[in-house]
Amino acid sequence: MVKLIGAVLILFSASMVGWQIGRYYAYRPIQLRALLVALQMLETEIVYGLTPLHRAFVKVGNRVTEDIGKMFLLAAELLVTEKAQSAEDSLRQAMSRHWSHTALRKQEGDVLASLSQVLGSSDREDQQKHLRLAVTHLRGLEEEARVEQVKYEKMYKSLGFLSGLLVVILMF
């Protein structure tokens, strides 16, 4: 009876590990899409709405998914409270706090970090060009993420279950 309970726990645990890793591959394209939408909204607010950067960050942060939105809200807070010296500094600090809570990779972070160098420090047209460039680059990364999702999501889910099954078989 104890062996049976142990076998079920091992199988369940290994399956959950596989599902967690598979879930990472499923969330990445979703969060990339949210980041793309956020940058497009930021472009609209800056270029067409003539909204100050801290307010634009707040508007964007409230409209996108929580994982990505928190980053923009924190960047706005840092700008308003003057804990950050510039828009670049505020966005980098927000990324350092919240990036690990997302499924996004270093590549996406590099795109956002390079964009942050321009935000608030140049004219609207230049910011628009850089925002569009970042969006284009992120679209390519989103396509890559979708290909990886198709490739690896099912594999890791199955691998988790099968490795648990292997351990159970070796136990008996």
Side-chain angles (χ1 to χ4, degrees):
M1 184 66 174
V2 173
K3 267 188 164 182
L4 183 61
I5 292 172
V8 169
L9 285 175
I10 289 171
L11 191 60
F12 178 75
S13 299
S15 295
M16 287 298 101
V17 168
W19 276 86
Q20 285 294 95
I21 295 171
R23 195 172 78 166
Y24 164 80
Y25 283 100
Y27 281 162
R28 185 167 172 244
I30 293 168
Q31 290 179 348
L32 260 169
R33 172 56 53 190
L35 186 58
L36 279 166
V37 168
L39 292 182
Q40 289 169 338
M41 282 193 270
L42 191 61
E43 178 187 355
T44 302
E45 291 295 331
I46 290 171
V47 176
Y48 304 109
L50 304 175
T51 310
L53 194 55
H54 68 280
R55 280 197 215 146
F57 280 165
V58 170
K59 285 182 178 182
V60 168
N62 287 328
R63 290 187 204 159
V64 295
T65 62
E66 187 178 345
D67 298 330
I68 304 300
K70 282 181 181 180
M71 224 174 356
F72 286 101
L73 291 173
L74 179 60
E77 181 184 325
L78 291 170
L79 273 175
V80 171
T81 60
E82 297 180 0
K83 291 182 180 176
Q85 295 175 352
S86 64
E88 176 185 3
D89 191 34
S90 69
L91 202 51
R92 283 185 187 267
Q93 285 182 35
M95 284 172 56
S96 69
R97 286 193 200 164
H98 290 290
W99 202 258
S100 62
H101 302 295
T102 66
L104 300 174
R105 293 188 180 160
K106 186 181 181 307
Q107 295 168 313
E108 292 90 4
D110 291 343
V111 170
L112 200 55
S114 67
L115 173 66
S116 71
Q117 294 172 349
V118 177
L119 288 178
S121 65
S122 62
D123 64 343
R124 285 180 302 168
E125 289 80 22
D126 192 42
Q127 290 181 48
Q128 182 180 26
K129 288 176 191 173
H130 282 88
L131 280 162
R132 287 186 178 172
L133 180 65
V135 165
T136 303
H137 194 147
L138 288 175
R139 279 194 180 126
L141 291 173
E142 181 191 18
E143 186 60 39
E144 240 178 70
R146 291 196 188 284
V147 168
E148 282 184 5
Q149 178 188 8
V150 168
K151 227 173 162 179
Y152 296 119
E153 184 182 12
K154 283 184 183 179
M155 181 188 76
Y156 277 109
K157 288 178 180 179
S158 300
L159 193 61
F161 176 76
L162 292 174
S163 63
L165 190 61
L166 176 67
V167 170
V168 168
I169 289 171
L170 292 175
M171 252 178 50
F172 287 104

